[in-house]
Amino acid sequence: YENSCRLIDFEQSYQLQPIQNLTATPHYMAPELFHGKPKTIQTDLYAFGIIVYEWLSQSKLTAKNYHEWAILHCQKLEIKLPDELRCFLP
């Protein structure tokens, strides 16, 4: 677009559930966003980390609704990588 690269979040192109003022995709939301904190570079890095994790592990995080995403990201996220990729954990 206008001679520059843009990232598009297609999960924000429609709403499964109406949630007021939600400007992030629950699949990639950092825990602090679930607590109503503002977006920062750290929240963007968290989202990028989820993308890299899914790429490395060849699996996708799953949840059925906003509440389940909040529990996953805030309480239950366990990073499990194959042995050959454990060097990325730190």
Side-chain angles (χ1 to χ4, degrees):
Y1 177 75
E2 296 180 352
N3 294 322
S4 66
C5 181
R6 305 291 172 120
L7 294 176
I8 298 172
D9 185 350
F10 286 108
E11 287 193 47
Q12 286 292 311
S13 64
Y14 64 93
Q15 287 188 336
L16 294 175
Q17 301 173 327
I19 300 172
Q20 290 184 335
N21 302 323
L22 181 63
T23 60
T25 302
H27 187 124
Y28 305 100
M29 278 173 59
E32 56 270 29
L33 296 179
F34 287 101
H35 295 283
K37 303 279 186 273
K39 288 181 182 178
T40 64
I41 187 68
Q42 288 82 8
T43 59
D44 287 342
L45 289 172
Y46 181 91
F48 180 66
I50 295 296
I51 292 166
V52 171
Y53 170 69
E54 289 181 335
W55 173 62
L56 290 173
S57 67
Q58 293 295 294
S59 64
K60 260 182 105 53
L61 300 177
T62 59
K64 295 178 185 167
N65 55 47
Y66 182 85
H67 184 256
E68 285 188 10
W69 282 116
I71 290 171
L72 178 100
H73 286 291
C74 297
Q75 299 174 358
K76 294 187 176 184
L77 184 62
E78 290 185 39
I79 303 298
K80 295 179 183 176
L81 291 175
D83 289 338
E84 64 272 11
L85 299 174
R86 290 191 191 271
C87 61
F88 291 107
L89 282 173

